[in-house]
Amino acid sequence: MSEIDVLCIGDLDVDMFISVPSIPGFDQKVGGRNHGQKPGGMAANAAVAISRFGLRSRLISAVGDDPAGVFAVAEIGREGVDLDFLSRRNGVNTFMCVVLISPSGEKSLIRLETDAYLPSVADLQDAAFSGVRHVHMTYGSSELSLEALKLAASAGLSTSLDLEPPDIARNPLGLGEVLSYVDTLFLNSEALELATRLLGQSFGVRMLREAGEMIVTMGAKGCRRITAEDTVDMPGFAVASVDTTGAGDCFAGSYLASRLSGASPSRCLEFANAAAALATLDYGAQAAMPRRPGVEDFLELRRHEMPSGPRAPHGVLHAGT
């Protein structure tokens, strides 16, 4: 039996949340409300989601030796995430983000990257991959991503990658080789458009490992799963969102937790849509992140609210796309 279901590799940070009526331009000023600092980071958020949905997660990341690093480690440690391979860097500030929240809950982020933004290739110890079922990571560093995915492939592990627009723009040339080691690719509509433009018509599910899948998140509209055989659209859930920070990370973590638990792809899409919607009901990437019973209750409630069944549990199928 595996000791760890999902090994997450990437960033662990501290986010400062400020709600504003609008995003100010240069030489402009708006009033805001500070909602405090909370733990975050794409890889860390996914690790927390996986843990909350009943699976075991491990995080390879880096933090500084400042108070922010101490805070971030303590908070994620309480979630049961394995931190045995976390890199603590002396004399370095922990990576932080300033998150500006609009009245509708949408966010704009300012990344304050430091030398503790990501782990290094040297932090990828063989022991960290031992007893692991799946490796999930970000594309903050093409060198790190490629080495980690190669290690996963050599160990016979399934893999996934969460791809964001800024990371694509930073290193588009290294993306093709990285994708050849990926089973499940998570990206939003903006990232899909950017990757298609930068990489040309060759970008798509054919760039992934055999039988790979591409999951495109579309916010409140839901998501789309693309494979070589077909494309399935799964509608989202309307909720009174407060903060959408980390919703995509929650989606990825809950989708992986469902797949690794044996659920069908369509069931995983529906479950991940519901989990991501619930994760927007409070400030902070992890504050409102639900647990499995909460998601199941939410789905059951929605089904009772819509007795005629307009939400097809298998989504909308586009064969041969």
Side-chain angles (χ1 to χ4, degrees):
M1 184 176 182
S2 300
E3 298 174 2
I4 297 294
D5 294 293
V6 183
L7 168 62
C8 297
I9 305 172
D11 52 332
L12 167 62
D13 78 345
V14 174
D15 298 330
M16 175 181 288
F17 290 85
I18 303 171
S19 59
V20 292
S22 62
I23 305 299
F26 289 111
D27 203 28
Q28 293 182 344
K29 183 186 298 185
V30 298
R33 180 183 176 191
N34 187 352
H35 298 282
Q37 298 185 358
K38 304 177 187 294
M42 290 175 63
N45 294 338
V48 169
I50 290 160
S51 179
R52 288 194 179 182
F53 293 123
L55 275 69
R56 295 153 297 183
S57 62
R58 171 178 291 159
L59 178 66
I60 297 180
S61 192
V63 293
D65 59 355
D66 56 342
V70 173
F71 167 74
V73 171
E75 290 296 306
I76 197 170
R78 277 193 275 271
E79 297 288 347
V81 177
D82 183 324
L83 301 177
D84 288 349
F85 296 91
L86 190 72
S87 176
R88 294 171 172 83
R89 299 184 177 164
N90 296 328
V92 174
N93 288 328
T94 297
F95 167 46
M96 296 187 69
C97 281
V98 177
V99 186
L100 303 180
I101 308 296
S102 74
S104 65
E106 297 298 324
K107 83 278 187 184
S108 296
L109 279 75
I110 302 172
R111 302 201 303 193
L112 307 179
E113 296 182 13
T114 72
D115 288 339
Y117 168 44
L118 291 171
S120 67
V121 170
D123 294 321
L124 301 176
Q125 302 177 41
D126 290 342
F129 291 77
S130 178
V132 169
R133 296 175 61 193
H134 181 92
V135 172
H136 173 72
M137 67 180 311
T138 62
Y139 186 62
S141 161
S142 59
E143 181 185 17
L144 175 69
S145 300
L146 184 58
E147 183 61 26
L149 292 169
K150 283 183 175 179
L151 288 171
S154 66
L157 309 179
S158 58
T159 62
S160 56
L161 180 75
D162 201 336
L163 191 58
E164 286 207 318
D167 297 327
I168 299 172
R170 183 183 304 199
N171 194 349
L173 297 180
L175 183 56
E177 186 176 7
V178 167
L179 291 177
S180 68
Y181 290 92
V182 173
D183 292 299
T184 300
L185 177 65
F186 296 101
L187 72 172
N188 61 23
S189 301
E190 180 187 355
L192 175 61
E193 180 181 348
L194 179 60
T196 302
R197 176 160 50 85
L198 293 180
L199 300 183
Q201 293 183 349
S202 62
F203 181 77
V205 70
R206 66 184 67 87
M207 299 184 70
L208 307 180
R209 294 170 84 175
E210 186 177 359
E213 59 180 357
M214 190 161 67
I215 312 296
V216 183
T217 56
M218 300 177 290
K221 294 181 180 179
C223 62
R224 171 173 295 164
R225 179 179 184 259
I226 304 171
T227 67
E229 290 74 31
D230 55 46
T231 296
V232 174
D233 288 344
M234 183 64 68
F237 296 93
V239 296
S241 296
V242 171
D243 172 22
T244 60
T245 306
D249 307 327
C250 179
F251 179 97
S254 57
Y255 182 86
L256 292 174
S258 295
R259 285 302 302 269
L260 291 170
S261 299
S264 68
S266 292
R267 172 61 174 162
C268 294
L269 295 174
E270 182 187 42
F271 185 89
N273 275 344
L278 292 173
T280 69
L281 298 180
D282 197 0
Y283 293 101
Q286 299 168 19
M289 197 175 284
R291 300 182 186 274
R292 187 179 295 275
V295 178
E296 297 289 359
D297 289 346
F298 176 81
L299 287 171
E300 186 65 21
L301 178 62
R302 286 304 177 99
R303 292 185 185 112
H304 279 90
E305 289 176 348
M306 305 173 74
S308 59
R311 275 195 55 83
H314 299 295
V316 179
L317 175 66
H318 309 284
T321 300

